[in-house]
Amino acid sequence: FSFSRVYAGVNFLKKKKVSFKNKIFFVNDSYNLPLPDSSIDIVTTCHSVEPNKKYATNIIKELFRITKKKLILFEPDTNLVKKKDYQNRSLIKKRFEKHNYVKNIDVKLKKLKLKFDKMEQEYNFNKLNPASIYSIKKNSKSKNLSNFINPYNKDDSDFLKEDEHILYSTKTGDTFFKVNNIVIFNKNNIYIGT
């Protein structure tokens, strides 16, 4: 996510007087998540792998890493386009190429040796953006851990300490800032402390 989108979302929730208890917001790339292995029961996406064609496999691997029970991907599926819909098929292909959208999620999941069930969606938000739901089970017995870890050292024991406006690693000295209750984990915003 971009900071501006998360910031707008947090402000929207504040206007709606939504409780912030047990809600954590953070900004980070999708392939260095600041969460321990198998820490989230159910992880879902909704067209968020789609615009990351170059990094799609890494993103899926990272999402599966943090999943405890099930990873559910609601992502594009160009295989849904029927041959009789030639006009739409052509438009869909052009759109996917223009926006550099990911294709063949099935193939990526198979290459990662992830067993999945696929539910093809008959109705989509956008007819030019057909999608399927890919459900990947994972049976992890680990306990859910709510603490952030340093996303750039991938050490599940490097839990970040929290201060009023920062999170920091006592192992590496990496420091991450909180702005408007949003933790910024993007690598270009990292501060190395001593």
Side-chain angles (χ1 to χ4, degrees):
F1 286 117
S2 69
F3 178 80
S4 61
R5 284 184 178 186
V6 177
Y7 186 82
V10 168
N11 285 333
F12 175 80
L13 293 174
K14 282 181 180 176
K15 287 179 187 173
K16 296 291 181 181
K17 299 187 186 326
V18 172
S19 168
F20 279 74
K21 186 178 181 181
N22 298 325
K23 290 180 180 60
I24 301 169
F25 304 93
F26 66 91
V27 178
N28 185 270
D29 60 54
S30 299
Y31 42 91
N32 287 305
L33 295 172
L35 304 167
D37 294 353
S38 304
S39 59
I40 306 295
D41 286 340
I42 299 171
V43 176
T44 64
T45 68
C46 185
H47 293 269
S48 55
V49 176
E50 174 185 80
N52 296 286
K53 182 178 180 179
K54 183 177 177 183
Y55 302 106
T57 300
N58 290 338
I59 291 169
I60 294 168
K61 280 171 58 175
E62 183 69 351
L63 292 172
F64 190 71
R65 179 188 70 78
I66 68 166
T67 299
K68 181 175 182 180
K69 295 180 182 177
K70 191 175 276 192
L71 171 59
I72 301 169
L73 306 172
F74 184 72
E75 295 295 338
D77 186 356
T78 52
N79 299 324
L80 292 178
V81 184
K82 295 181 171 69
K83 290 182 180 178
K84 63 182 181 180
D85 263 339
Y86 182 75
Q87 185 180 10
N88 275 349
R89 193 170 58 152
S90 176
L91 289 172
I92 290 167
K93 185 177 178 181
K94 286 179 186 174
R95 187 170 190 274
F96 269 66
E97 295 303 321
K98 177 183 174 187
H99 296 293
N100 202 26
Y101 285 163
V102 68
K103 299 178 198 169
N104 303 315
I105 297 267
D106 309 60
V107 173
K108 293 179 186 334
L109 293 172
K110 287 175 185 173
K111 282 184 180 177
L112 290 169
K113 297 180 181 172
L114 297 176
K115 293 180 183 177
F116 63 94
D117 293 317
K118 178 178 166 181
M119 188 167 67
E120 297 179 349
Q121 296 301 293
E122 190 174 332
Y123 304 101
N124 288 280
F125 302 121
N126 181 342
K127 290 180 183 181
L128 297 178
N129 202 2
S132 285
I133 298 174
Y134 304 87
S135 176
I136 304 118
K137 287 184 183 177
K138 181 177 178 184
N139 293 317
S140 174
K141 304 288 186 213
S142 70
K143 294 181 180 180
N144 286 26
L145 303 168
S146 59
N147 300 65
F148 283 121
I149 62 168
N150 186 341
Y152 300 105
N153 111 3
K154 298 280 189 194
D155 177 353
D156 268 3
S157 67
D158 189 6
F159 290 105
L160 299 178
K161 303 282 185 196
E162 189 169 355
D163 205 342
E164 188 178 354
H165 298 289
I166 62 170
L167 277 80
Y168 61 94
S169 165
T170 56
K171 287 187 176 188
T172 64
D174 295 342
T175 303
F176 306 94
F177 295 95
K178 288 193 293 186
V179 177
N180 196 30
N181 230 12
I182 302 166
V183 184
I184 303 172
F185 285 107
N186 291 14
K187 197 165 191 163
N188 57 348
N189 293 320
I190 194 171
Y191 174 77
I192 307 297
T194 54

